[in-house]
Amino acid sequence: MSNNNSPIGVFDSGVGGISVLREMVKIMPKERFIFFGDSANAPYGVRPVEEIKELTFSNVKKLLEMDSKAIVVACNTATSAAVRDLRNTYEDLPIVGIEPALKPATHMFPEGRIAVMATPMTIKQQKFKSLMERFREDAEVIPVPCPGLMDYVESGELEGERLERYLRDVLCIHLGETYDGIVLGCTHYPFILKTLRKVVGDKPVIFDGAEGTAREIKRRIELIGLSATEDFEGDQVTFITTDTHPDSKIELMNMLFNV
Ligand code: DGL
C-alpha cells in the first residue's frame, strides 16, 4: 500500500518524459520518483489508439506494483489516447497527463501564428482537435506532425545537419514560413531545443508543457495531503527501461536528466 513517502510514478514511450521529470525534481526536492521509459515499444505516436491504451495501462500497472502514490503521464501521445480511461479506472489515484501548451501560446500571441509540433497520433486525436477548437478564435494554430523526430532523441542525436534538415522541412522554413510561437507537443522535443533554435532563429517563443505539468502534480498531491514527509535515502530517481540495450539506454537517460 503506497503512502506519503512512496515514489511518484512517471512514464513515457521512451526517454522524452525526462524533460518533465527534471521540472518535477526542481520543484519537489523531497519527493522520490520512478521513471519508466517504454523504449522497446516506442514510438507510440505512429501506433493505433487501442495499442497505445494497452501499453499505457500496462505501464501504470507496473508503476503501481512498484508502490507509486501518483502517476504522471509524461507523454502527450499517451495522454491524448488514454488519460480519460485511466482516470475512470483509477478513480482515487492522482493522475496528471501532459498536454500541448497551447493556452499560454495563444494568450501571448492573440492573432499570432502558432505551430504545434507533435506526433501524428497526438494531432489526429479528438482531444487535440478539441484543444485546437478552444483556441482557434484566439490565434492561427498550425499543427505540425513530426513522424520520426522522437527517434533522433531516442538515439541521442540531438544536433547536426541531418536533424536541422528534418526540422527545416517539417516547419517549411525553406518555403519562408515564420511563426510567433512554437509549442513542443511531445516530451522528446525539448531535448532538441538548441537545434530547433538554430533552424527557426531568435524570434519565435518556444512553449513546453513540462513546467505546468510539474506544478499540477505538486498541487494535486498537496491537496490530498500526500506530499513526502521524510527525507529519502539513496537516489531520488530510479530509471527503468524496456529497451533491448538497457545499459546504454540508462546511460542516455542519466545524460538527458543532467543536461
Ligand atoms: N514523448 C511522446 C509524446 O510526448 C511520444 C513519442 C512517441 O512515442 O511517438 O508524445
Side-chain angles (χ1 to χ4, degrees):
M1 213 21 202
S2 66
N3 59 46
N4 283 60
N5 299 307
S6 299
I8 298 174
V10 187
F11 76 90
D12 180 33
S13 60
V15 297
I18 294 171
S19 62
V20 185
L21 174 72
R22 56 185 187 182
E23 297 302 324
M24 293 193 282
V25 166
K26 258 189 233 164
I27 63 167
M28 291 180 279
K30 267 179 95 108
E31 298 292 342
R32 284 184 50 225
F33 299 87
I34 302 174
F35 182 88
F36 177 68
D38 191 17
S39 295
N41 293 304
Y44 282 12
V46 293
R47 286 178 180 274
V49 66
E50 280 313 316
E51 264 179 46
I52 301 172
K53 272 188 197 168
E54 263 170 48
L55 292 166
T56 299
F57 269 85
S58 131
N59 298 343
V60 170
K61 187 165 172 269
K62 190 171 180 126
L63 287 166
L64 292 178
E65 281 164 6
M66 297 181 74
D67 209 28
S68 298
K69 64 179 178 184
I71 297 290
V72 174
V73 184
C75 173
N76 294 263
T77 309
T79 299
S80 60
V83 83
R84 212 178 45 197
D85 291 3
L86 274 183
R87 291 200 179 109
N88 288 340
T89 305
Y90 298 104
E91 283 177 351
D92 298 326
L93 181 70
I95 301 175
V96 173
I98 190 164
E99 279 193 284
L102 209 48
K103 188 174 171 180
T106 53
H107 276 192
M108 186 177 286
F109 296 108
E111 301 182 15
R113 300 191 80 224
I114 315 287
V116 185
M117 299 172 70
T119 67
M121 185 66 208
T122 298
I123 285 173
K124 251 193 276 166
Q125 281 303 295
Q126 188 50 45
K127 199 164 178 22
F128 181 73
K129 290 190 183 132
S130 314
L131 191 68
M132 260 188 73
E133 216 37 62
R134 260 172 64 200
F135 299 109
R136 195 188 288 281
E137 302 273 283
D138 303 338
E140 186 187 351
V141 180
I142 303 133
V144 180
C146 301
L149 182 51
M150 69 87 79
D151 298 311
Y152 283 87
V153 180
E154 282 297 310
S155 61
E157 187 177 339
L158 309 181
E159 50 197 315
E161 180 50 41
R162 206 170 77 102
L163 177 57
E164 286 170 33
R165 203 175 329 118
Y166 176 98
L167 292 171
R168 261 196 306 274
D169 285 350
V170 282
L171 288 162
C172 298
I173 302 298
H174 54 300
L175 300 176
E177 288 287 5
T178 57
Y179 307 97
D180 299 302
I182 298 178
V183 176
L184 304 182
C186 168
T187 54
H188 281 74
Y189 304 167
F191 293 114
I192 51 115
L193 189 62
K194 227 169 79 186
T195 309
L196 179 63
R197 199 36 102 194
K198 195 167 164 195
V199 166
V200 298
D202 293 337
K203 191 194 139 210
V205 176
I206 297 176
F207 297 86
D208 168 11
E211 211 186 304
T213 304
R215 278 200 307 268
E216 180 59 10
I217 189 69
K218 182 171 189 281
R219 190 187 71 79
R220 290 283 300 281
I221 59 174
E222 280 172 3
L223 195 69
I224 54 172
L226 209 55
S227 305
T229 53
E230 289 169 11
D231 291 336
F232 55 84
E233 281 170 24
D235 291 335
Q236 186 177 14
V237 181
T238 304
F239 288 105
I240 306 169
T241 177
T242 53
D243 201 279
T244 42
H245 299 100
D247 292 348
S248 53
K249 195 52 90 167
I250 298 280
E251 206 177 297
L252 176 66
M253 287 168 135
N254 275 300
M255 186 277 271
L256 294 174
F257 183 59
N258 290 304
V259 289

Short mmCIF file of all heavy atoms in Angstrom, two decimals, residues 81-103:
data_model
loop_
_atom_site.label_atom_id
_atom_site.label_comp_id
_atom_site.label_asym_id
_atom_site.label_seq_id
_atom_site.Cartn_x
_atom_site.Cartn_y
_atom_site.Cartn_z
N ALA A 81 -4.46 9.60 -25.93
CA ALA A 81 -5.13 8.34 -26.25
C ALA A 81 -5.81 7.70 -25.03
O ALA A 81 -6.82 7.01 -25.18
CB ALA A 81 -4.11 7.35 -26.83
N ALA A 82 -5.28 7.93 -23.83
CA ALA A 82 -5.71 7.05 -22.73
C ALA A 82 -6.00 7.70 -21.38
O ALA A 82 -6.48 7.02 -20.48
CB ALA A 82 -4.64 5.97 -22.53
N VAL A 83 -5.74 9.00 -21.22
CA VAL A 83 -5.83 9.52 -19.85
C VAL A 83 -7.26 9.47 -19.29
O VAL A 83 -7.47 9.23 -18.10
CB VAL A 83 -5.21 10.94 -19.73
CG1 VAL A 83 -6.16 12.04 -20.14
CG2 VAL A 83 -4.71 11.18 -18.32
N ARG A 84 -8.24 9.64 -20.16
CA ARG A 84 -9.62 9.61 -19.68
C ARG A 84 -9.97 8.22 -19.14
O ARG A 84 -10.52 8.08 -18.05
CB ARG A 84 -10.59 10.01 -20.80
CG ARG A 84 -11.79 10.73 -20.22
CD ARG A 84 -12.76 11.20 -21.21
NE ARG A 84 -13.03 10.20 -22.23
CZ ARG A 84 -13.60 10.47 -23.39
NH1 ARG A 84 -13.92 11.68 -23.69
NH2 ARG A 84 -13.84 9.51 -24.26
N ASP A 85 -9.61 7.18 -19.90
CA ASP A 85 -9.87 5.81 -19.46
C ASP A 85 -9.11 5.49 -18.18
O ASP A 85 -9.61 4.80 -17.29
CB ASP A 85 -9.46 4.80 -20.54
CG ASP A 85 -10.37 4.88 -21.75
OD1 ASP A 85 -11.25 5.76 -21.75
OD2 ASP A 85 -10.19 4.09 -22.68
N LEU A 86 -7.89 6.00 -18.08
CA LEU A 86 -7.10 5.76 -16.87
C LEU A 86 -7.81 6.34 -15.65
O LEU A 86 -7.93 5.69 -14.61
CB LEU A 86 -5.75 6.47 -16.96
CG LEU A 86 -4.57 5.78 -17.64
CD1 LEU A 86 -3.34 6.67 -17.53
CD2 LEU A 86 -4.29 4.42 -17.03
N ARG A 87 -8.29 7.58 -15.81
CA ARG A 87 -8.96 8.25 -14.67
C ARG A 87 -10.24 7.51 -14.30
O ARG A 87 -10.58 7.42 -13.12
CB ARG A 87 -9.28 9.70 -15.01
CG ARG A 87 -8.03 10.53 -15.10
CD ARG A 87 -8.30 12.02 -14.96
NE ARG A 87 -7.06 12.75 -15.04
CZ ARG A 87 -6.68 13.51 -16.06
NH1 ARG A 87 -7.50 13.71 -17.08
NH2 ARG A 87 -5.51 14.11 -16.05
N ASN A 88 -10.94 6.95 -15.29
CA ASN A 88 -12.16 6.19 -15.00
C ASN A 88 -11.84 4.91 -14.26
O ASN A 88 -12.61 4.45 -13.41
CB ASN A 88 -12.91 5.85 -16.28
CG ASN A 88 -13.56 7.08 -16.87
OD1 ASN A 88 -13.77 8.06 -16.17
ND2 ASN A 88 -13.86 7.05 -18.17
N THR A 89 -10.70 4.30 -14.58
CA THR A 89 -10.33 3.04 -13.94
C THR A 89 -9.75 3.25 -12.55
O THR A 89 -10.05 2.50 -11.63
CB THR A 89 -9.29 2.30 -14.83
OG1 THR A 89 -9.85 2.16 -16.13
CG2 THR A 89 -8.95 0.94 -14.27
N TYR A 90 -8.89 4.25 -12.42
CA TYR A 90 -8.23 4.50 -11.12
C TYR A 90 -8.78 5.80 -10.53
O TYR A 90 -8.08 6.83 -10.50
CB TYR A 90 -6.72 4.60 -11.31
CG TYR A 90 -6.08 3.35 -11.85
CD1 TYR A 90 -5.67 3.27 -13.18
CD2 TYR A 90 -5.86 2.26 -11.03
CE1 TYR A 90 -5.07 2.13 -13.68
CE2 TYR A 90 -5.26 1.10 -11.53
CZ TYR A 90 -4.87 1.05 -12.85
OH TYR A 90 -4.28 -0.08 -13.35
N GLU A 91 -10.01 5.73 -10.04
CA GLU A 91 -10.71 6.95 -9.63
C GLU A 91 -10.01 7.72 -8.50
O GLU A 91 -10.06 8.94 -8.44
CB GLU A 91 -12.13 6.61 -9.19
CG GLU A 91 -13.04 6.37 -10.37
CD GLU A 91 -14.43 5.96 -9.95
OE1 GLU A 91 -14.63 5.71 -8.76
OE2 GLU A 91 -15.29 5.87 -10.85
N ASP A 92 -9.38 6.98 -7.58
CA ASP A 92 -8.81 7.65 -6.40
C ASP A 92 -7.33 7.99 -6.54
O ASP A 92 -6.72 8.50 -5.61
CB ASP A 92 -9.00 6.77 -5.15
CG ASP A 92 -10.48 6.56 -4.88
OD1 ASP A 92 -11.25 7.50 -5.17
OD2 ASP A 92 -10.85 5.45 -4.44
N LEU A 93 -6.77 7.68 -7.68
CA LEU A 93 -5.33 7.88 -7.86
C LEU A 93 -5.08 9.24 -8.52
O LEU A 93 -5.70 9.54 -9.54
CB LEU A 93 -4.82 6.75 -8.77
CG LEU A 93 -3.33 6.71 -9.09
CD1 LEU A 93 -2.51 6.33 -7.86
CD2 LEU A 93 -3.09 5.68 -10.21
N PRO A 94 -4.17 10.06 -7.94
CA PRO A 94 -3.85 11.31 -8.65
C PRO A 94 -3.12 10.98 -9.96
O PRO A 94 -2.07 10.33 -9.95
CB PRO A 94 -2.92 12.06 -7.68
CG PRO A 94 -3.03 11.36 -6.37
CD PRO A 94 -3.46 9.95 -6.66
N ILE A 95 -3.71 11.41 -11.08
CA ILE A 95 -3.11 11.17 -12.40
C ILE A 95 -3.04 12.50 -13.15
O ILE A 95 -4.07 13.17 -13.30
CB ILE A 95 -3.98 10.19 -13.24
CG1 ILE A 95 -4.13 8.84 -12.52
CG2 ILE A 95 -3.39 9.99 -14.64
CD1 ILE A 95 -5.08 7.86 -13.21
N VAL A 96 -1.86 12.88 -13.57
CA VAL A 96 -1.72 14.10 -14.36
C VAL A 96 -1.07 13.74 -15.69
O VAL A 96 -0.07 13.01 -15.71
CB VAL A 96 -0.88 15.16 -13.60
CG1 VAL A 96 -0.59 16.36 -14.49
CG2 VAL A 96 -1.61 15.61 -12.33
N GLY A 97 -1.65 14.21 -16.79
CA GLY A 97 -1.09 13.92 -18.12
C GLY A 97 -0.68 15.21 -18.81
O GLY A 97 -1.41 16.21 -18.75
N ILE A 98 0.48 15.19 -19.44
CA ILE A 98 0.94 16.40 -20.15
C ILE A 98 0.14 16.62 -21.44
O ILE A 98 -0.26 15.65 -22.09
CB ILE A 98 2.45 16.34 -20.45
CG1 ILE A 98 2.95 17.69 -20.96
CG2 ILE A 98 2.80 15.21 -21.42
CD1 ILE A 98 4.46 17.86 -20.93
N GLU A 99 -0.09 17.89 -21.74
CA GLU A 99 -0.80 18.25 -22.98
C GLU A 99 -0.05 19.40 -23.66
O GLU A 99 0.63 20.17 -22.97
CB GLU A 99 -2.19 18.78 -22.64
CG GLU A 99 -3.21 17.72 -22.37
CD GLU A 99 -4.60 18.33 -22.36
OE1 GLU A 99 -4.96 18.98 -21.38
OE2 GLU A 99 -5.29 18.17 -23.37
N PRO A 100 -0.19 19.57 -24.98
CA PRO A 100 0.50 20.69 -25.63
C PRO A 100 0.08 22.04 -25.02
O PRO A 100 -1.10 22.27 -24.79
CB PRO A 100 0.02 20.59 -27.09
CG PRO A 100 -0.36 19.15 -27.27
CD PRO A 100 -0.90 18.70 -25.94
N ALA A 101 1.07 22.90 -24.76
CA ALA A 101 0.83 24.17 -24.05
C ALA A 101 0.29 25.25 -24.99
O ALA A 101 0.90 26.30 -25.19
CB ALA A 101 2.13 24.63 -23.39
N LEU A 102 -0.88 24.97 -25.52
CA LEU A 102 -1.48 25.89 -26.49
C LEU A 102 -2.04 27.15 -25.83
O LEU A 102 -2.02 28.23 -26.41
CB LEU A 102 -2.62 25.13 -27.20
CG LEU A 102 -2.94 25.52 -28.62
CD1 LEU A 102 -1.69 25.61 -29.45
CD2 LEU A 102 -3.89 24.50 -29.24
N LYS A 103 -2.51 26.99 -24.60
CA LYS A 103 -3.15 28.12 -23.91
C LYS A 103 -2.17 29.29 -23.70
O LYS A 103 -2.46 30.41 -24.14
CB LYS A 103 -3.72 27.63 -22.58
CG LYS A 103 -4.57 28.63 -21.87
CD LYS A 103 -5.20 27.99 -20.66
CE LYS A 103 -5.88 29.03 -19.80
NZ LYS A 103 -6.50 28.44 -18.63
#
